[in-house]
Structure formats: structure tokens, C-alpha cells
């Protein structure tokens, strides 16, 4: 069947201009105009025809759509209605996955199951197989034995699915994790092997779809669930008033942003096929499981800073940057980053300080020689200064930062001290440093260091640095 003939059979054809990109109540109730249907059909038919089931890149989709007489394919893509957030950040559901913040030529455009409901051909390549797998997962979730003293992880493998659904095409089975990852409330972690086999976690959320026996029921229920999640985020159930915005622990939030981005890039690498472009780091904000910490979603600024930090420490490798950004916008995880995720659960601070359990030499250029942490009989040579000298303060700040992992193994204590170092650096770098403010922060630093008991020798060195590098006024 040709594309033009197929479009004539698709549901919900309306006049151009009937649909804008305002938030709608239920995708099953909207009508799509001709160009919107053509764009979806262009994407879906190409993915179905691809031997490996790859979704087409925007460069190809745009060129193909223009060949059908579409003057502004991107405008048509943007006009597709969505439930929930209309931008690239925030929970939403539409006929395609959320359009990325930066639509590049190599961006893959993917359809959701909602598109399979709207397009007859996509029902058999995407929609119906998805429903069969969904209800198999529901049965699996219900029937998996539980133990009273541990959390049960329910997972599904491609081999198990093939045995359970022998009538399903092997090629479609290989695409199952990708189909589920495109759904807003169904995505779970999964891994793929070189031969195309996979293992996927079964999310507990599958049970809400027990009564969704057809595509109409699934799409309608998903729209309802998205609205429910958004409403719960906006309202406090006890009073009906807008819920207060949480105030996260700043240090924990900072650490969590780095872990989230690194973990997300690890998952992207497991899912990535040969020759696929590096992911956009901002797309982590579309993952509701990783983009929220302490009830607060990370901002683009926080993800940018995390990206710069991870690249600086060699945990990710950048493939492209934008003006006004500190870190790479396109990136992939490095072998060191994989070690951090797999061996340290993505705890970046723990991974970086992993070599600090033995003797460590700290090399600092200005007035300070090598310092051996966790050793006895060591000295620190810092030239005393009676005058207030911002440069000397920054030297002391640098030293204490390097000593921090040896001062205490406790992550929270390390973060607290490093936060004070940040305050001290900011005060020292001011155009006209406030001596009173510097002294106040210095006293707090000294008090914090005195509270550490892990390594008395390193503690003594740190206190000496404070005393000599930051003299009393």
C-alpha cells in the first residue's frame, strides 16, 4: 500500500488548522489534519521497513515530507497535540516522543502507541504487539513469587518472551524495549546484547492497564495517568492548595544531578546501536525516574554544570557544545564512567576518592610542598603572612579541598566542608573582600575540621593551612 493510499484510511482526518499544540484532555478524542497524518505515516512506515527497526533521523523525515508537498515539516511536528507539558521538559504524552530541545538533523523521531491507534498500518507493527507484551508483563508481575524481607525485581528477557509468544515476529521482539521506552509511564531500565537479545525490568505500573484490552483503552488510560501525575504534582491532597515547592539539600542535589546524568548516559550506551549519534545531555530531563531529586526536577543549568564536571573528571566524553554552556551538550559515557556506575552505583564522589584510602601526595604549587595524607611525621611548609592576602586564601582553599577526602570518609561531611570552601573562595574573589565575612567563614571551617576524627595528622595539616593561609585580622 502506498503512503498516499494509506493516509486515506487513517482515522480522525480533519481540516488543516483544527489542531494546535495546546494541551488536550485525551488523545483518542482529537482529530489530526492531513499533514500531521502524513508526517506520522512517514516515520512509521520507514521504521517498519528498516531491517533493524531503527527510527528515521529528522534529516530524512524532513526531506521525505517536503517531497509530499509539506512546506514546514517541523511546524507540523510541533503542532501535534500532547497531554501535559508542551515543551521538551516535563511529563507529557503525544503521538511522537517529546520533541528534543534542540532538533538536530541526526535526531531520531519515534512514534508512540498513540500513533499506532491513529494509523491503521502502525497497529500491526507497533500497537498490537505492544498490547500483547503489556498483558504478558502484567501476568508476569502478578505471578512472580515475593519474599517478605526483600524487594522483588521482576524482569523479562527476549528469550522468555519468544517462548511465551511464539507467534510474534522475532524482529518485533527485538524492538520491544524501544517501544516501551517511548511510553511516558512504562519505561524501565533494560540492557541489550550484541546479538539483539535483551533483559528489561517490568515496572509495577503495568498493573493499571489490566482493563486496557485494546489500543483505545491503553491510550486513553495513559492520558488519564499523565493527567493524574501532573495533578498530584500541582496539588496537596490534604488541603487542595498548591503544594509547597520543596527546598532540597543543595549539596545532595548537586551530587544527585551528577549521578543522574552519568547513570542516564550509561543507560543510553546500553541501548545505543553502532553508529548512532551521541545523546543530548538535556534529554535526561525527560526521564522522570532520574530527573527528580528530593521532589524537585533538575534544571538545565544544573545538568549543564553536571555535564561539565563529569567531562572534567573523564567520566563522559563530549561530542559538541553550544554557546553559553559550560559542559558538552552532546556526550557519551567513558569506560571510567561505566566503572563508576557499575562499581560505585554512580556515586561520583566515591569513585573520584577511591584511591584516597592509602598514602596520597598532594602537589600544590604556591608556597606548599608535597603533603602525605594518612601518614605520621609529616609537615606542611606555608609561609606565614600577617597581611590579608586573597591569593593566599585561595591557596589554602585549594589545599583543604585536596585534603577533604582524607579528612573524613563520610560523604555528607565532605560535601559540607566543600560547600564552606566554595563560600570562602567566593568571598576571597570579591572585588573588595569583606574581612569580617572571610573571618566568619574561616571560623566555621576551623570548627568543621576540628569535628573530624578520621585522621588526626591530616586534620592538623588542614588546621595549620587555615591558620597560616587565613590569618586573624
Amino acid at each position: 500500500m502506498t503512503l498516499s493510499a494509506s493516509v486515506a484510511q487513517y482515522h480522525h482526518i480533519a481540516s488543516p488548522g483544527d489542531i494546535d499544540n495546546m494541551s488536550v484532555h485525551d488523545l483518542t478524542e482529537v482529530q489530526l489534519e492531513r499533514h500531521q497524518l502524513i508526517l506520522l505515516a512517514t516515520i512509521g512506515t520507514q521504521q517498519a521497513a528498516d531491517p533493524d527497526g531503527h527510527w528515521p533521523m529528522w534529516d530524512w523525515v524532513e526531506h521525505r515530507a517536503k517531497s509530499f508537498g509539506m512546506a514546514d515539516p517541523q511546524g507540523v511536528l510541533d503542532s501535534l497535540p500532547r497531554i501535559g507539558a508542551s515543551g521538551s521538559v516535563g511529563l507529557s504524552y503525544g503521538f511522537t516522543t517529546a520533541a528534543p530541545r534542540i532538533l538536530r538533523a541526526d535526531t531520531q523521531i519515534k512514534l508512540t502507541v498513540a500513533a499506532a491507534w491513529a494509523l491503521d498500518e502502525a497497529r500491526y507493527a507497533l500497537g498490537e504487539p505492544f498490547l500483547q507484551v503489556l498483558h504478558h508483563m502484567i501476568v508476569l508481575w502478578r505471578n512472580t513469587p515475593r519474599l517478605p524481607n526483600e524487594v522483588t525485581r521482576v524482569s523479562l528477557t527476549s528469550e522468555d518472551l519468544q517462548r511465551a509468544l511464539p507467534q510474534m515476529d522475532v524482529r518485533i521482539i527485538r524492538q520491544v524495549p524501544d517501544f516501551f521506552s517511548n511510553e511516558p509511564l512504562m519505561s524501565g531500565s533494560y540492557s541489550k546484547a550484541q546479538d539483539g537479545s535483551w533483559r528489561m525490568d517490568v515496572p509495577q505500573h503495568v498493573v493499571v492497564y489490566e482493563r486496557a484490552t485494546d489500543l483505545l483503552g491503553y491510550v486513553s488510560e495513559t492520558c488519564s495517568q499523565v493527567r493524574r501525575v501532573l495533578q498530584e504534582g500541582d496539588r496537596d491532597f490534604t488541603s487542595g492548595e498548591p503544594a509547597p515547592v520543596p527546598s532540597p539539600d543543595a549539596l545532595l542535589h548537586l551530587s544527585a544531578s551528577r549521578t543522574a546524568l552519568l547513570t542516564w548516559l550509561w543507560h543510553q550506551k546500553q541501548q545505543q546501536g553502532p553508529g548512532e549519534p551521541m545523546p543530548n545531555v538535556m534529554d535526561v530531563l525527560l526521564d522522570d525516574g532520574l530527573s527528580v531529586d528530593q521532589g524537585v526536577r533538575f534544571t538545565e543549568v544544573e545538568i549543564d554544570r553536571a555535564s561539565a564536571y563529569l567531562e572534567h573528571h573523564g567520566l563522559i566524553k563530549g561530542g559538541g557544545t553550544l554557546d553559553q554552556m559550560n559542559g558538552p551538550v552532546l556526550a557519551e559515557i567513558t569506560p571510567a564512567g561505566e566503572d563508576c556506575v557499575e562499581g560505585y552505583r554512580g556515586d561520583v564522589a566515591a569513585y573520584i576518592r577511591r584511591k584516597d584510602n592509602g598514602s596520597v601526595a598532594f602537589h600544590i604549587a604556591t608556597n606548599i610542598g608535597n603533603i602525605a595524607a594518612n601518614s605520621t611525621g609529616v609537615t606542611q611548609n606555608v609561609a606565614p603572612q600577617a597581611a590579608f592576602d586573597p591569593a593566599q586564601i585561595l591557596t589554602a582553599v585549594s589545599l583543604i579541598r585536596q585534603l577533604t577526602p582524607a579528612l573524613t570518609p563520610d560523604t555528607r561531611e565532605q560535601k559540607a566542608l566543600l560547600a564552606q570552601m566554595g563560600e570562602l573562595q567566593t568571598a576571597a574573589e570579591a572585588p573588595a573582600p569583606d574581612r569580617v565575612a572571610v573571618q566568619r567563614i574561616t571560623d566555621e571551617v576551623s570548627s568543621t575540621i576540628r569535628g573530624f576524627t578520621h585522621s588526626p595528622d591530616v586534620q592538623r595539616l588542614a588546621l595549620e593551612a587555615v591558620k597560616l593561609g587565613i590569618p586573624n585580622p
Side-chain angles (χ1 to χ4, degrees):
M1 185 181 295
T2 63
L3 176 64
S4 58
S6 298
V7 170
Q9 297 187 20
Y10 295 149
H11 307 294
H12 320 302
I13 299 179
S15 302
D18 282 356
I19 296 293
D20 59 18
N21 198 24
M22 298 297 288
S23 180
V24 295
H25 182 267
D26 192 324
L27 295 177
T28 63
E29 299 174 354
V30 303
Q31 292 182 314
L32 299 181
E33 56 98 1
R34 180 173 176 273
H35 278 171
Q36 291 172 327
L37 289 167
I38 289 177
L39 187 67
L40 295 179
T42 301
I43 299 166
T45 52
Q46 173 57 29
Q47 187 274 340
D50 189 276
D52 297 315
H54 290 157
W55 294 99
M57 292 183 180
W58 177 247
D59 180 68
W60 182 90
V61 174
E62 184 177 42
H63 181 270
R64 187 72 168 168
K66 286 182 177 179
S67 72
F68 295 134
M70 195 179 300
D72 182 18
Q74 183 169 348
V76 175
L77 179 67
D78 292 340
S79 74
L80 289 167
R82 302 194 71 81
I83 299 291
S86 60
S88 63
V89 176
L91 183 63
S92 69
Y93 190 48
F95 296 99
T96 66
T97 51
R101 191 174 62 93
I102 303 171
L103 187 59
R104 307 184 305 270
D106 60 358
T107 297
Q108 285 185 308
I109 306 298
K110 303 179 180 181
L111 300 186
T112 67
V113 175
W117 174 81
L119 305 173
D120 282 339
E121 283 187 343
R123 288 187 173 210
Y124 306 105
L126 168 59
E128 296 299 339
F130 178 90
L131 279 179
Q132 293 180 51
V133 177
L134 173 64
H135 283 278
H136 175 71
M137 292 169 70
I138 292 172
V139 172
L140 186 63
W141 177 267
R142 290 293 193 195
N143 295 340
T144 298
R146 301 309 202 270
L147 295 174
N149 298 315
E150 65 180 57
V151 177
T152 300
R153 177 183 177 184
V154 183
S155 61
L156 176 65
T157 67
S158 52
E159 293 85 355
D160 293 339
L161 185 60
Q162 184 70 73
R163 285 191 293 268
L165 303 174
Q167 76 282 4
M168 185 172 290
D169 191 302
V170 174
R171 179 176 167 277
I172 291 180
I173 287 180
R174 290 184 177 182
Q175 299 167 26
V176 164
D178 184 53
F179 291 163
F180 274 78
S181 68
N182 296 337
E183 299 303 299
L185 302 174
M186 298 299 297
S187 59
S189 62
Y190 68 88
S191 59
K192 274 188 175 181
Q194 291 287 343
D195 61 1
S197 62
W198 48 261
R199 175 180 293 274
M200 180 173 65
D201 288 344
V202 177
Q204 183 177 1
H205 197 76
V206 295
V207 295
V208 305
Y209 291 101
E210 284 186 299
R211 297 183 181 180
T213 57
D214 57 16
L215 289 174
L216 175 64
Y218 171 80
V219 175
S220 183
E221 179 63 33
T222 299
C223 293
S224 175
Q225 290 296 322
V226 168
R227 293 196 309 273
R228 179 187 61 78
V229 171
L230 293 174
Q231 289 169 357
E232 288 178 355
D234 291 339
R235 293 286 174 181
D236 176 22
F237 283 102
T238 60
S239 64
E241 297 298 325
V245 178
S247 179
D249 182 293
L251 291 173
L252 294 179
H253 199 62
L254 175 67
S255 178
S257 68
R258 297 165 180 172
T259 295
L261 178 56
L262 189 65
T263 303
W264 183 80
L265 288 172
W266 183 89
H267 284 296
Q268 299 310 301
K269 186 164 186 177
Q270 312 313 307
Q271 302 168 17
Q272 202 170 32
E276 291 188 26
M278 291 182 178
N280 186 324
V281 299
M282 293 302 168
D283 287 349
V284 68
L285 296 173
L286 304 177
D287 188 323
D288 292 296
L290 289 173
S291 62
V292 177
D293 169 62
Q294 303 173 65
V296 176
R297 189 177 296 274
F298 298 121
T299 66
E300 291 190 354
V301 172
E302 289 170 335
I303 294 302
D304 176 40
R305 290 172 178 168
S307 176
Y309 184 88
L310 295 175
E311 184 185 44
H312 175 73
H313 287 280
L315 301 179
I316 67 173
K317 177 175 65 176
T321 58
L322 293 176
D323 292 339
Q324 310 303 319
M325 297 190 72
N326 297 310
V329 67
L330 305 179
E332 65 181 8
I333 194 169
T334 64
E338 291 182 82
D339 290 343
C340 178
V341 173
E342 296 165 8
Y344 292 81
R345 297 182 178 272
D347 188 333
V348 176
Y351 180 78
I352 291 174
R353 70 172 184 269
R354 69 195 185 284
K355 295 181 180 179
D356 293 331
N357 293 327
S359 296
V360 181
F362 296 91
H363 302 280
I364 302 177
T366 308
N367 294 330
I368 301 176
N370 291 345
I371 299 175
N374 297 333
S375 300
T376 59
V378 293
T379 59
Q380 173 189 199
N381 297 318
V382 181
Q385 283 198 331
F388 181 87
D389 186 352
Q392 188 67 18
I393 295 174
L394 296 177
T395 298
V397 167
S398 176
L399 171 61
I400 296 171
R401 279 176 171 158
Q402 294 186 58
L403 289 174
T404 297
L407 280 166
T408 173
D410 188 282
T411 303
R412 289 177 178 268
E413 292 179 344
Q414 290 181 13
K415 290 176 179 178
L417 180 58
L418 291 175
Q420 291 176 333
M421 290 299 98
E423 293 180 14
L424 187 55
Q425 178 176 342
T426 299
E429 289 177 340
D434 184 336
R435 295 176 65 98
V436 174
V438 169
Q439 190 60 50
R440 175 185 58 77
I441 300 171
T442 300
D443 292 342
E444 293 173 357
V445 168
S446 297
S447 177
T448 297
I449 293 174
R450 290 191 184 97
F452 299 150
T453 59
H454 177 68
S455 178
D457 293 308
V458 180
Q459 180 192 55
R460 177 176 57 79
L461 296 176
L463 290 172
E464 188 177 352
V466 173
K467 180 179 178 180
L468 298 179
I470 316 169
N472 290 326

